[in-house]
Amino acid sequence: MRIQGQQNFWSGVMFIVVGLLFSWFATDYQMGTAARMGPGYFPFWLGIIMAILGASLSLGALSHKAEETKVDRFDWKSIILVLGGVALFALLLKPLGLYVSLFLLVMITSYASHDFNWKVALATAIFLVVFSYVAFVKGLGLIFPLYPWFIGN
Amino acid sequence: MELFDNIMLGLSVAVTPENLAYAFLGAFLGTIIGVLPGIGPLATIAMLLPITYVLPPVAGLIMLAGIYYGSQYGGSTTAILVNLPGEISAVVTVLDGHQMAKNGRAGAALALAALGSFFAGCVATLLIAGFAPPLAEIAFKFGPAEYFSLMVLGLIGAVVLGSGSLIKAICMILLGLLLGMVGTDVNSGVARYAFNIPELQDGIDFAAVAMGVFGFAEVMRNLEQGEKAQHTTSTIGSLYPNMQEIKESWGAVVRGTAIGSVLGVLPGGGSVLAAFASYTVEKKLSKTPERFGKGHPAGVAGPESANNAGAQTSFIPMLTLGIPSNAVMALMIGAMTIHNIQPGPQVISSHPELFWGLIASMWVGNLMLVVLNLPLVGLWVKLLKIPYRILFPAILVFCSIGVYSLNYNVFDIYVTVAFGFIGYLWGKLGCEGAPLLLGLVLGPMMEENFRRALLLSRGDFMTFIERPLSATLLFLAVALVLLIAVPAIRKKRDETFEEET
């Protein structure tokens, strides 16, 4: 069977799964009664309602009258470079300090651009490191680990 | 004159050098991001929200508000000069604004847009000052049942005007409400959905969610589409509109202001719908409708006044009821809560300097924006030449630093990365992030009022329909849903609205 409205179908599946998961975990908490609600009551019913609405969304998308939509391919290169670059920044912030990890963040994520040019990326990285020093470290006084662990703060 | 005294109090707060500087900074940043397509007020406010921690609450809110209405001004510059909306609310301005630019009247179009917006901003500021206090008085009479019903109406109202499937949008609200449940339950002290992760016991930070969904995911979407070169109209020409242009547009400015002011107050209204409505009205009223789309000044002045008026009056429900009418207002509520100001009707009396200072700063900010936008227009045009390969790493750097400084904890960066991926996935599935954000912010408040209402009624659900005010609000919510189910209205709605980012 072909799925007519792929976007709505898969969104519906997501709402069903997430809704049921929330409801299922809610049963771990006290439900209570309507007059004296426990912590599980509200999320349990929210999850159930979401799952029901999600199911109607998915079923509606199977109808041949549904608007035809497709789920486009994922651009994994951009995803990995952008999100990976930021996650690496988070990972390296403590051991390597703000300046080095920021520099790496800009260099790695810049590579996701269609017209990547290492000179431009280098200039951007240096500019943003200096800007962060002036605006965030000096200007706003935010507190970061600044230098790599072997140099110390 | 109480109103006069209050406005004086507001002005005395707004014109301190520090607050003037933050109003300027907000207006300035707002103009920048307004001019730049691909980055909107939502992502910017989310990015800067953590930084307002270090500012006094008034200064922080003044700056964030300035970003929002500043972006309405900046968006029109790009629309007129590049034939591309810098902000989604400037979509309509493209139609006649760019045609005027092609006819050599770019300067006049910019001036009409800025002056129209300024007029609208002044009127809307007065409306907030006049209507917010009496509305807050009414809100004091609300019990938990009324509050719950009001939030239902607000959330439903915010999505019936959105595009795409209504069920999908309601599901996104529910998902937002559920994500709002994460963290310690205030009544029982139980940590819900925390899975023994200490950071999750304080809940998911909505700034992290907003930055992931509107910042990171947007960057990835733009990269995927590939960067396009932009063609700017080089000659701006005289900034003075001629007599005929003024004559043709002043009526549109007044009507646009009225339309925008009304639509801005409604949940889900805001600036986009206001601009569309104004354009439609002007075309209907015009004796020469065939000139619309070919550079009619009213087609620029009307929608631009309307979107600025709408952007400003959308502060009314946020300031008086603590209910956000759009995602930007949801972030403003978040900004208040991080400063331990509980949004709601009591803000006016408990923090008068904040309330009136914010209102007065809007007027001051609008004045600054006229100055920023007209004589300095050449500067903004240069900004459009910055290639995206430089812009997006900067966005990522600001997001990462902003989110880290929320709690000085890298955990929040990982949360943002996760929501970046989820937001990207939602983009592929055609799910909108804005309703989710409203749900996330309102979740805990909604549960609290739901529980209290049922505690007072001893578990009787009829309390929501037995109390007349609550019943009216719920009836309105149901009526809205039914109204949208009618196909004719539905079609119109799909044509006229897109997600406000």
Side-chain angles (χ1 to χ4, degrees):
Chain A
M1 190 171 75
R2 237 171 46 82
I3 299 166
Q4 187 79 5
Q6 287 195 5
Q7 283 190 342
N8 282 2
F9 179 79
W10 290 112
S11 310
V13 170
M14 174 183 77
F15 293 128
I16 297 170
V17 172
V18 177
L20 291 179
L21 274 178
F22 264 100
S23 295
W24 186 49
F25 281 112
T27 56
D28 281 356
Y29 314 121
Q30 243 184 351
M31 292 296 270
T33 61
R36 293 213 171 270
M37 260 177 244
Y41 195 101
F42 198 65
F44 178 81
W45 289 107
L46 278 185
I48 297 287
I49 296 170
M50 189 166 92
I52 293 171
L53 287 178
S56 79
L57 190 65
S58 289
L59 287 176
L62 289 174
S63 140
H64 57 89
K65 276 181 289 184
E67 189 191 346
E68 201 175 333
T69 53
K70 272 206 320 229
V71 178
D72 291 327
R73 281 169 40 116
F74 280 31
D75 177 13
W76 286 107
K77 185 191 156 195
S78 299
I79 297 174
I80 290 169
L81 285 171
V82 169
L83 296 183
V86 177
L88 194 72
F89 168 79
L91 199 66
L92 296 179
L93 186 61
K94 267 256 169 63
L96 289 185
L98 181 70
Y99 306 131
V100 178
S101 38
L102 218 98
F103 181 82
L104 288 173
L105 167 67
V106 178
M107 291 307 281
I108 293 169
T109 54
S110 287
Y111 193 68
S113 170
H114 287 270
D115 49 3
F116 172 76
N117 172 325
W118 71 267
K119 279 185 200 154
V120 175
L122 191 68
T124 314
I126 292 170
F127 172 76
L128 285 172
V129 169
V130 174
F131 182 86
S132 301
Y133 167 75
V134 174
F136 300 123
V137 179
K138 284 285 150 201
L140 288 167
L142 304 181
I143 302 149
F144 299 96
L146 293 177
Y147 302 102
W149 82 96
F150 49 85
I151 299 176
N153 274 320
Chain B
M1 264 306 271
E2 204 190 340
L3 184 66
F4 182 75
D5 289 341
N6 286 330
I7 290 178
M8 287 318 285
L9 167 71
L11 276 175
S12 71
V13 175
V15 298
T16 61
E18 193 196 12
N19 289 338
L20 270 181
Y22 283 111
F24 179 79
L25 191 65
F28 185 77
L29 283 172
T31 308
I32 293 181
I33 58 131
V35 167
L36 293 171
I39 171 162
L42 200 51
T44 314
I45 293 176
M47 220 148 59
L48 292 175
L49 194 66
I51 291 166
T52 61
Y53 272 139
V54 295
L55 303 180
V58 190
L61 284 173
I62 284 176
M63 183 176 83
L64 295 179
I67 294 173
Y68 184 41
Y69 55 75
S71 71
Q72 310 295 332
Y73 279 77
S76 61
T77 307
T78 315
I80 291 165
L81 296 177
V82 195
N83 198 19
L84 197 78
E87 270 337 303
I88 189 86
S89 56
V91 171
V92 214
T93 315
V94 171
L95 303 172
D96 281 86
H98 192 62
Q99 286 304 320
M100 281 184 77
K102 272 193 177 161
N103 302 340
R105 301 295 301 160
L110 288 167
L112 286 175
L115 295 174
S117 295
F118 178 66
F119 175 79
C122 295
V123 173
T125 303
L126 282 177
L127 283 176
I128 301 177
F131 279 102
L135 251 178
E137 287 301 314
I138 299 174
F140 272 124
K141 301 198 170 71
F142 279 29
E146 281 77 20
Y147 251 106
F148 177 79
S149 304
L150 180 69
M151 280 185 249
V152 172
L153 175 64
L155 287 171
I156 295 287
V159 292
V160 288
L161 297 167
S163 65
S165 157
L166 184 63
I167 300 181
K168 220 166 162 179
I170 293 179
C171 281
M172 288 305 274
I173 293 181
L174 290 172
L175 189 54
L177 291 171
L178 279 169
L179 289 172
M181 299 293 115
V182 175
T184 308
D185 170 37
V186 278
N187 292 341
S188 60
V190 175
R192 289 184 287 189
Y193 307 105
F195 308 107
N196 293 324
I197 301 168
E199 284 89 349
L200 279 183
Q201 288 179 5
D202 296 334
I204 298 177
D205 210 301
F206 65 91
V209 176
M211 262 186 270
V213 175
F214 296 102
F216 289 4
E218 190 65 37
V219 163
M220 289 184 280
R221 267 196 292 276
N222 287 337
L223 285 172
E224 180 176 67
Q225 285 163 3
E227 298 99 288
K228 287 168 234 126
Q230 284 155 5
H231 302 284
T232 317
T233 309
S234 48
T235 48
I236 289 167
S238 162
L239 280 175
Y240 295 101
N242 58 37
M243 273 321 285
Q244 203 207 341
E245 281 162 343
I246 294 174
K247 232 171 81 188
E248 280 181 335
S249 50
W250 73 265
V253 170
V254 175
R255 284 186 292 271
T257 304
I259 293 168
S261 302
V262 173
L263 288 178
V265 184
L266 301 181
S271 50
V272 186
L273 196 69
F276 275 106
S278 162
Y279 192 80
T280 316
V281 167
E282 289 313 317
K283 203 171 162 179
K284 281 254 160 68
L285 287 179
S286 172
K287 289 190 195 78
T288 51
E290 68 281 357
R291 277 179 58 216
F292 276 84
K294 298 197 183 83
H296 197 301
V300 177
E304 277 303 317
S305 313
N307 70 23
N308 201 40
Q312 271 180 270
T313 54
S314 61
F315 279 84
I316 293 179
M318 191 278 280
L319 287 170
T320 55
L321 307 169
I323 307 277
S325 55
N326 57 43
V328 172
M329 289 305 123
L331 287 175
M332 295 294 288
I333 286 193
M336 286 164 87
T337 40
I338 60 175
H339 285 291
N340 288 323
I341 298 166
Q342 181 63 40
Q346 72 286 356
V347 171
I348 300 179
S349 45
S350 63
H351 300 275
E353 76 302 330
L354 177 104
F355 179 82
W356 295 105
L358 181 62
I359 289 175
S361 87
M362 288 181 183
W363 187 78
V364 176
N366 270 291
L367 193 64
M368 287 174 177
L369 279 163
V370 174
V371 179
L372 269 176
N373 274 270
L374 290 181
L376 294 180
V377 69
L379 185 74
W380 308 121
V381 176
K382 285 212 182 64
L383 202 65
L384 283 167
K385 298 207 167 82
I386 299 178
Y388 197 64
R389 64 178 178 198
I390 294 177
L391 205 58
F392 85 85
I395 295 174
L396 295 174
V397 165
F398 294 144
C399 281
S400 306
I401 288 182
V403 84
Y404 172 76
S405 55
L406 282 173
N407 298 308
Y408 292 107
N409 190 333
V410 290
F411 180 80
D412 289 323
I413 304 184
Y414 295 126
V415 173
T416 313
V417 167
F419 275 97
F421 182 75
I422 297 170
Y424 181 82
L425 174 75
W426 285 338
K428 295 285 179 196
L429 293 175
C431 295
E432 286 182 36
L436 176 110
L437 208 61
L438 292 181
L440 181 63
V441 168
L442 284 182
M445 234 206 295
M446 208 163 166
E447 185 192 14
E448 180 65 28
N449 283 295
F450 184 66
R451 281 164 112 165
R452 262 196 284 169
L454 285 171
L455 184 69
L456 291 174
S457 74
R458 299 198 181 82
D460 184 8
F461 283 92
M462 296 305 281
T463 183
F464 294 109
I465 24 184
E466 273 163 3
R467 298 173 67 103
L469 199 54
S470 164
T472 315
L473 293 165
L474 283 180
F475 172 79
L476 283 173
V478 174
L480 272 178
V481 172
L482 292 180
L483 206 67
I484 289 307
V486 180
I489 305 171
R490 205 185 158 79
K491 193 165 159 276
K492 190 100 195 150
R493 157 178 168 263
D494 286 348
E495 282 165 11
T496 50
F497 209 74
E498 275 189 78
E499 183 177 344
E500 195 169 342
T501 42

